[in-house]
Amino acid sequence: MNQLESMGAGLASFAIKRPVTIGMIFLSMLLLGLLASRLLPLEKFPGIDIPEMVVVVPYQNASPAEVETMITKPIEEALATMSGIRELNSRSNENESVVHLQFDWGENIRAKSIEAREKVDAIRHLLPSDVQRVMVYRFNTSDMPIFQLRVSSERDLSNAYDLLERNLKMPIERVPGVSKVELYGVLKKQISIRLDSARVAALHLDLSQLTERLQQANFSMSAGDFVALDRKILISPQGEFRSLDDIRNLVIKPGVRLDDVADIGYETPERTEGRHLDRTYAVGLNIFRESGSNLVNVSTAVLKVVNQANQNPAFNGINLFIMNDEADAVQSSLGDLVEAGLIGAVLSILVLYAFLRQFSSTLMVVLSVPFSLCITLGAMYFFGYSLNILSLMGLMLAVGMLVDNAVVVTESIVQERAHIKDPIAATKAGVSKVSLAVIAGTITTMIVFLPNIVGEKVNVTVFLEHVAIAICISLLASLLIAQTLIPLLSTRIKLKDTQATKPEGPIKRGYLKALAWTLKHQGATAAIAILILFSTAIPMGVVSNDEANEGPDKQLWLAYHIQGNYSLDEVEKEVDRMEAYLYANQDRFHIKQVYSYYNPGHAVSGITLNDEVPVKAADIKALIMEDMPSFVRAKPSFQWNTGMGGGVKITLLGQSSDVLMKIADRVVPVLGSINGLTDVRADINSEQQELRIKVDRQKAYRYGLSAGQVANSVATALRGSNLRTFRHGDTGEEDIRLLFDRRIQHSVDKLRHLPLLRQGDKTVTLDMVADLSLAPRMSEIRRHERQTALTIGANLGEEMTLGQAQTQIRTMMDNIALPTGYAWQFGGSFNNNNRNRAVMQLNMLLAICMIYVVMAALFESLLLPTAVITSLLFSFTGVFWAFMLTGTSMSIMAMIGMLILMGIVVNNGIVLVDRINQLVNSGLSVPQAIMDGCSTRVRPILMTVATTVLGLVPLALGSTKIGGDGPPYSPMAIAIIGGLIFSTLTSLFLVPLAYLLLLKLRRKTVNLFQDSRQLVGRLGVK
């Protein structure tokens, strides 16, 4: 008896001697698990730091070229010196600069965000002086909004900010667990100081001095303290505006008040974006939760506040629509998983009873499931994990495996009782004989996840880690139960030996007869095994590699591609026309609702389909495009799918945007000719017009003006200038903006005659010191790895797979000659899919090596693991045949299933080889030991396989998806079921044969060395 066997017998002996202690321990664990199930945070995904960071610099009303030169490039150069950057992208438009950094998984994003802020602060002096904020965002899966609310009404909601803030936003913010509420689509009123340009010029007011005067007039500060009468008194000079009259009566020049040159009052800022829901203007609210809070409880409390608001008379005529409630998706997905797990558990119990034919022994084995699950929940609570989609998936996958150890131990005890009358002695003997097998089986099942936890990180392995934690803890708990609680209960329950009391059944007799034939005809069996392995090539040629079409298909996104620089009202007219067309054909297109978002130059509509749609999403897209009316200002098409990180995309790289657009004009028709690619287009934003003002420095100097003063005057006239906020209004802090009258903002002619200053009786206007001209410009400039970039994308057709698309696109692009200094590369799903596959394949190879290492260490033999590992090879054959028969494609979920499968299939071989080896060591001949060992172990193997397979059948047959809208679980379940069944059927014959052939090989090798020594001895060589 080796150390592991003696340890197993020792645990069983302790449990039998201390039944009350063991009972209290497991009862405590059961209660702890039940309590933890109530305390564990419930969420969709665990809180994982996404290795991405975004640096945003708002800079309103500037040209994209200026933003790129003055802001984007300096920030890129500063951030590029950071380590661990995998990809650096940026975009520059008229309102902001956005730099997006992707890091390798495993990088400390919190530390990186601090470093990024320091890098940007170091070059802050290189940025324009009127840049007010530089924002650095990092992301966590728990930072996503859990509740998205849309507000629509026939009433005008443009002035509804106060109503929505007081009666909806603020009550939601008070809900326990809510961290932040974003209200957008409606703007808070501001105090506008609109200057009359003629009066400003007539009174000889300097605009920069006026702005500085307004800034200095509104202040609040601390001026120190003094001590009087032994008391410390703080000094706080007050200079804040306390009313609009304070602003109006501000003296800006002797004898001149601000009210003399400006109109002062409340205004709603001009809208820069809009939303429609069901063809009415909509306002949006995003609700975020605190870290560690229960998602479902928070969502329920928020929904209660929303329902109360609906009853409020102030909301008459206002519709509150829940666009997205993460709690629904979580409860639906968790409910589907629990239902599948319960069905699988019931099927497993029925199978166990069919084998054991005794209710008490079946109940004893089944007890390992709830105890193991409760122990796992308790451990997850103390380790700081949450109950989410991934951890519950791990628990559900483990349900069918939790009885495996208990079954093997129970069967061994039953067999020992047949010839040992003392139940305690029989129990100890039964446990010791299988301790090595159950420990080795449990460790090999767990060890397959180690490369994913400690190896190279990609998004799949990071999320798989949370699945692995749940599986590993539950399997360790089941091992502990099989070594302690099961032996204890077996001494208290009268177990019936169905094998001893009944003759061998026809299945067992047939198996032993076939096994005897296998051992007798070793060459023929080996040839059959090789043919089976080679047969894997048949399904491998049929099974496709497909990822991009696994995403949700209940929502379609229609992009408008506005052709020009149109105002918000003009874009809204195009949206109205599209929505009218969609709602006119609502039943025909199976549309549930339409939500649209638009801003100047951009619009997109989200089409939500009905819950039950009789046709494919691709067919609905074709119907919509077929009869779509023509648009003058837009070229609508469906957006690219974003499954696995960005759809089918290639990126063109170079220096000039104009050259890249010319290349794209050549590439798009070529890619569009590929059968199976749809919606092929270049991601080019509409061209806009730019009014360029070129200051004549000589003319400006004659009038006492500098180019900077002219530019500041124009900027204030068009963009306005932010002043210190007004803090004494009824609605809290309010913005104050210095602006010119609206006529200048909407008329080029008025802008030409913008008064800059007055000299005597003469007014100096803008056109006297500058030339104004219209010129085209890009609406947005994008860069990739510090080069100008342009993306070309497409959607996959029904019959096109990601691998096929990649091959055909590469062939086409290799035949297109690009100018010197220009290149192309794959992007989107291609990069993510290739990276994920490469890492998963490497981890699977490492897992096989680690399984072998663990078995070799436990068995203290190189021979036995080699025999067991044969079952692993045939499991892959079963996987591919199962995929071909069920029409399942090879996806990342399928590869996860294969990874889990590797840890499971070797258990059968371990149980067989361990028992055969025990019988060989006891003195039996190898053939007889194989026959006897397989005879005693075939039943527990079939029982464990049946429970595992039946536990996964509901997932394989169902349509349950991760999170309710992610990839389906079925490929993973089909991989495990197909591989496990096929491996079991083959390993029952081929593992014993491999064991026998390896023993023969070892004997021949030993004989060869002995003969060599004898030969050397005869030759007299020393």
Side-chain angles (χ1 to χ4, degrees):
M1 182 182 295
N2 61 29
Q3 291 183 350
L4 289 175
E5 292 174 349
S6 62
M7 182 178 69
L11 284 174
S13 178
F14 175 80
I16 293 170
K17 291 178 181 178
R18 306 296 294 271
V20 176
T21 302
I22 294 298
M24 290 300 100
I25 289 174
F26 280 100
L27 180 61
S28 301
M29 290 182 176
L30 183 66
L31 295 175
L32 180 63
L34 293 175
L35 181 62
S37 67
R38 306 285 299 177
L39 298 176
L40 279 170
L42 185 63
E43 53 191 5
K44 185 172 184 179
F45 289 108
I48 298 173
D49 286 327
I50 306 299
E52 297 182 11
M53 188 190 307
V54 176
V55 179
V56 181
V57 183
Y59 197 64
Q60 299 291 326
N61 300 320
S63 69
E66 290 176 336
V67 172
E68 179 192 34
T69 303
M70 296 188 300
I71 300 176
T72 304
K73 287 184 177 180
I75 291 179
E76 281 184 347
E77 291 172 3
L79 297 179
T81 60
M82 297 173 62
S83 61
I85 296 178
R86 187 160 61 89
E87 195 170 295
L88 191 152
N89 299 303
S90 67
R91 54 186 175 89
S92 307
N93 56 42
E94 63 183 9
N95 293 317
E96 62 185 2
S97 166
V98 180
V99 180
H100 182 211
L101 298 95
Q102 292 185 27
F103 294 88
D104 293 322
W105 284 94
E107 292 284 347
N108 188 332
I109 298 301
R110 296 186 181 184
K112 290 296 180 184
S113 65
I114 296 173
E115 183 182 355
R117 288 186 177 94
E118 293 175 348
K119 297 280 188 184
V120 175
D121 287 342
I123 53 102
R124 189 66 185 262
H125 64 283
L126 301 177
L127 304 181
S129 58
D130 53 344
V131 168
Q132 295 182 336
R133 294 175 297 164
V134 177
M135 296 170 289
V136 179
Y137 297 103
R138 54 185 176 84
F139 304 100
N140 187 286
T141 52
S142 60
D143 293 336
M144 308 302 174
I146 65 165
F147 203 95
Q148 291 180 305
L149 189 66
R150 296 293 179 265
V151 185
S152 63
S153 175
E154 297 293 340
R155 295 159 45 183
D156 182 12
L157 292 176
S158 59
N159 296 315
Y161 183 89
D162 293 339
L163 170 68
L164 294 174
E165 184 182 45
R166 292 179 180 178
N167 296 284
L168 193 59
K169 181 175 181 286
M170 294 175 66
I172 292 177
E173 287 176 333
R174 291 192 289 268
V175 170
V178 172
S179 64
K180 181 177 66 173
V181 179
E182 290 180 348
L183 173 61
Y184 53 87
V186 61
L187 301 174
K188 186 176 183 178
K189 287 187 176 182
Q190 66 182 18
I191 297 175
S192 295
I193 303 173
R194 289 202 172 269
L195 299 173
D196 186 303
S197 57
R199 282 185 275 176
V200 169
L203 292 172
H204 302 280
L205 294 177
D206 185 281
L207 197 58
S208 60
Q209 292 180 358
L210 175 60
T211 303
E212 186 178 356
R213 176 79 179 90
L214 289 171
Q215 291 280 16
Q216 294 175 350
N218 185 27
F219 69 91
S220 177
M221 62 179 289
S222 174
D225 60 78
F226 70 91
V227 178
L229 301 177
D230 297 328
R231 297 178 64 186
K232 183 179 180 181
I233 301 174
L234 297 176
I235 301 173
S236 178
Q238 298 292 322
E240 291 181 312
F241 295 136
R242 295 186 174 272
S243 67
L244 288 183
D245 287 337
D246 287 351
I247 303 175
R248 293 189 180 104
N249 295 325
L250 177 68
V251 177
I252 56 176
K253 190 177 180 180
V256 180
R257 296 180 305 143
L258 184 61
D259 192 36
D260 295 331
V261 296
D263 294 325
I264 303 160
Y266 281 102
E267 284 185 6
T268 300
E270 187 175 350
R271 284 196 300 130
T272 58
E273 61 182 12
R275 294 168 177 79
H276 283 183
L277 178 64
D278 290 330
R279 302 186 67 187
T280 59
Y281 185 79
V283 175
L285 287 95
N286 287 341
I287 294 94
F288 299 82
R289 69 181 181 91
E290 295 175 350
S291 178
S293 60
N294 190 300
L295 183 148
V296 175
N297 291 344
V298 174
S299 180
T300 303
V302 170
L303 187 59
K304 186 177 179 180
V305 173
V306 173
N307 292 332
Q308 289 173 352
N310 270 323
Q311 305 301 321
N312 191 332
F315 280 80
N316 289 339
I318 296 178
N319 301 315
L320 302 179
F321 173 76
I322 301 169
M323 186 174 181
N324 183 37
D325 184 0
E326 289 291 340
D328 283 344
V330 170
Q331 287 178 307
S332 173
S333 183
L334 294 181
D336 290 341
L337 282 175
V338 170
E339 181 182 358
L342 289 175
I343 294 173
V346 170
L347 293 174
S348 300
I349 292 172
L350 294 177
V351 168
L352 287 173
Y353 184 76
F355 276 96
L356 297 175
R357 302 295 178 87
Q358 185 180 10
F359 180 77
S360 58
S361 58
T362 302
L363 181 63
M364 181 181 71
V365 171
V366 170
L367 275 177
S368 60
V369 176
F371 275 101
S372 297
L373 293 178
C374 287
I375 292 172
T376 305
L377 293 176
M380 288 173 60
Y381 175 75
F382 285 110
F383 290 156
Y385 288 93
S386 64
L387 192 60
N388 51 69
I389 302 297
L390 301 176
S391 58
L392 197 63
M393 182 176 82
L395 292 175
M396 197 233 49
L397 289 172
V399 164
M401 297 183 281
L402 293 180
V403 298
D404 290 2
N405 292 333
V407 166
V408 174
V409 170
T410 302
E411 278 291 295
S412 181
I413 293 173
V414 168
Q415 291 169 8
E416 292 301 317
R417 281 199 180 184
H419 49 82
I420 299 178
K421 298 304 180 184
D422 183 9
I424 294 178
T427 298
K428 292 180 180 179
V431 172
S432 66
K433 286 189 175 181
V434 294
S435 288
L436 179 61
V438 295
I439 292 173
T442 302
I443 294 177
T444 53
T445 303
M446 294 165 53
I447 204 71
V448 296
F449 297 107
L450 190 60
N452 294 276
I453 296 174
V454 301
E456 182 181 356
K457 299 292 186 181
V458 292
N459 53 357
V460 174
T461 59
V462 170
F463 284 93
L464 189 59
E465 179 180 339
H466 292 263
V467 178
I469 292 296
I471 293 177
C472 293
I473 295 176
S474 60
L475 288 178
L476 283 175
S478 72
L479 177 62
L480 178 64
I481 292 170
Q483 297 285 341
T484 54
L485 189 61
I486 296 298
L488 172 61
L489 294 176
S490 66
T491 60
R492 300 293 193 271
I493 297 174
K494 184 178 181 181
L495 299 177
K496 180 171 63 175
D497 185 4
T498 56
Q499 288 179 310
T501 57
K502 290 187 178 182
E504 294 179 349
I507 296 178
K508 188 173 182 179
R509 286 198 304 271
Y511 165 65
L512 293 176
K513 189 174 180 180
L515 179 61
W517 185 92
T518 298
L519 298 178
K520 186 176 181 181
H521 302 84
Q522 298 172 17
T525 305
I528 294 173
I530 293 173
L531 289 176
I532 292 174
L533 281 178
F534 281 133
S535 72
T536 312
I538 299 174
M540 284 182 69
V542 176
V543 175
S544 62
N545 295 324
D546 193 8
E547 287 291 343
N549 291 329
E550 284 194 352
D553 53 5
K554 292 298 182 184
Q555 193 165 42
L556 310 176
W557 289 98
L558 186 66
Y560 286 74
H561 308 299
I562 304 298
Q563 303 297 300
N565 189 18
Y566 295 101
S567 67
L568 187 70
D569 292 336
E570 293 299 318
V571 175
E572 187 175 15
K573 290 178 182 177
E574 298 294 274
V575 173
D576 287 336
R577 189 179 180 199
M578 176 64 76
E579 289 177 343
Y581 162 66
L582 294 174
Y583 276 94
N585 297 274
Q586 187 171 3
D587 294 334
R588 181 186 171 203
F589 298 153
H590 308 282
I591 294 174
K592 183 177 182 179
Q593 69 174 28
V594 177
Y595 170 76
S596 300
Y597 170 82
Y598 54 92
N599 59 35
H602 170 77
V604 62
S605 289
I607 304 170
T608 303
L609 303 181
N610 294 324
D611 295 333
E612 299 295 331
V613 180
V615 295
K616 295 179 180 179
D619 296 333
I620 296 177
K621 287 182 182 181
L623 278 175
I624 293 174
M625 296 300 296
E626 181 180 349
D627 299 325
M628 183 181 293
S630 59
F631 292 82
V632 176
R633 302 178 183 89
K635 292 183 179 179
S637 67
F638 284 97
Q639 281 189 346
W640 303 321
N641 294 331
T642 55
M644 294 305 295
V648 179
K649 296 179 183 177
I650 66 169
T651 303
L652 303 177
L653 301 172
Q655 297 300 321
S656 169
S657 298
D658 294 334
V659 176
L660 289 176
M661 285 190 287
K662 292 178 182 178
I663 296 173
D665 290 339
R666 294 164 49 202
V667 171
V668 169
V670 173
L671 298 185
S673 65
I674 297 177
N675 187 24
L677 290 184
T678 62
D679 303 318
V680 181
R681 59 178 174 81
D683 191 13
I684 302 175
N685 289 312
S686 58
E687 188 178 80
Q688 297 182 352
Q689 295 294 316
E690 178 179 81
L691 182 64
R692 294 178 179 173
I693 302 174
K694 187 176 181 180
V695 178
D696 188 319
R697 297 180 185 274
Q698 298 297 327
K699 292 181 180 179
Y701 179 75
R702 290 194 205 108
Y703 295 113
L705 293 171
S706 67
Q709 288 175 316
V710 175
N712 287 334
S713 298
V714 174
T716 302
L718 299 178
R719 184 168 58 194
S721 178
N722 286 324
L723 305 177
R724 287 194 176 100
T725 56
F726 180 71
R727 301 181 179 180
H728 296 278
D730 295 333
T731 58
E733 196 168 352
E734 297 167 341
D735 292 333
I736 304 177
R737 284 182 64 80
L738 180 64
L739 305 143
F740 273 79
D741 56 82
R742 294 181 184 274
R743 292 172 297 175
I744 294 178
Q745 294 176 319
H746 296 91
S747 170
V748 175
D749 187 59
K750 293 289 183 183
L751 182 62
R752 289 180 189 275
H753 296 91
L754 172 69
L756 300 178
L757 59 83
R758 190 175 181 87
Q759 290 184 342
D761 296 332
K762 185 178 181 181
T763 300
V764 180
T765 58
L766 180 62
D767 60 348
M768 295 172 64
V769 296
D771 295 325
L772 283 72
S773 61
L774 283 173
R777 67 167 173 84
M778 294 281 291
S779 62
E780 186 173 80
I781 298 175
R782 298 187 181 183
R783 290 165 59 84
H784 176 77
E785 301 297 351
R786 302 166 70 184
Q787 295 184 80
T788 305
L790 192 153
T791 300
I792 298 174
N795 284 324
L796 294 180
E798 291 293 325
E799 303 300 325
M800 175 69 77
T801 67
L802 201 61
Q804 293 170 344
Q806 186 171 9
T807 302
Q808 295 190 39
I809 290 174
R810 180 180 284 111
T811 301
M812 292 290 190
M813 292 301 297
D814 287 343
N815 293 323
I816 297 177
L818 300 180
T820 304
Y822 290 80
W824 71 276
Q825 64 182 32
F826 283 114
S829 293
F830 293 124
N831 288 343
N832 292 285
N833 190 46
N834 293 341
R835 183 178 172 86
N836 289 341
R837 285 182 178 279
V839 171
M840 285 297 295
Q841 289 169 359
L842 177 62
N843 288 347
M844 290 170 69
L845 290 174
L846 291 175
I848 294 175
C849 296
M850 298 184 73
I851 289 172
Y852 186 90
V853 169
V854 168
M855 288 192 297
L858 291 175
F859 285 120
E860 196 60 36
S861 169
L862 297 176
L863 184 70
L864 301 183
T866 307
V868 173
I869 215 77
T870 56
S871 60
L872 196 58
L873 301 176
F874 290 95
S875 67
F876 293 150
T877 302
V879 169
F880 281 101
W881 277 105
F883 283 171
M884 189 186 76
L885 295 176
T886 58
T888 305
S889 59
M890 177 59 72
S891 61
I892 293 296
M893 289 299 292
M895 295 182 74
I896 292 174
M898 293 175 67
L899 182 69
I900 298 172
L901 172 69
M902 290 192 301
I904 300 175
V905 294
V906 294
N907 292 350
N908 297 335
I910 289 172
V911 170
L912 276 178
V913 170
D914 180 56
R915 182 55 182 162
I916 294 170
N917 201 49
Q918 288 177 1
L919 294 175
V920 170
N921 292 335
S922 67
L924 287 180
S925 65
V926 174
Q928 187 59 44
I930 290 175
M931 295 299 295
D932 290 352
C934 292
S935 175
T936 57
R937 291 294 181 259
V938 64
R939 199 167 81 128
I941 287 175
L942 293 178
M943 290 169 65
T944 57
V945 169
T947 55
T948 302
V949 168
L950 290 176
L952 293 172
V953 164
L955 271 189
L957 298 179
S959 58
T960 307
K961 296 182 178 181
I962 295 179
D965 57 359
Y969 291 106
S970 55
M972 178 184 65
I974 291 171
I976 298 175
I977 291 173
L980 188 55
I981 291 176
F982 194 85
S983 173
T984 301
L985 294 177
T986 54
S987 61
L988 285 173
F989 300 99
L990 299 180
V991 168
L993 177 62
Y995 180 85
L996 178 60
L997 294 176
L998 287 169
L999 284 179
K1000 285 184 175 182
L1001 178 63
R1002 184 175 67 177
R1003 186 182 64 189
K1004 290 181 179 180
T1005 304
V1006 171
N1007 291 338
L1008 179 62
F1009 277 106
Q1010 289 177 349
D1011 293 343
S1012 300
R1013 290 194 188 98
Q1014 292 175 2
L1015 181 60
V1016 170
R1018 291 195 194 103
L1019 294 175
V1021 179
K1022 296 183 180 179

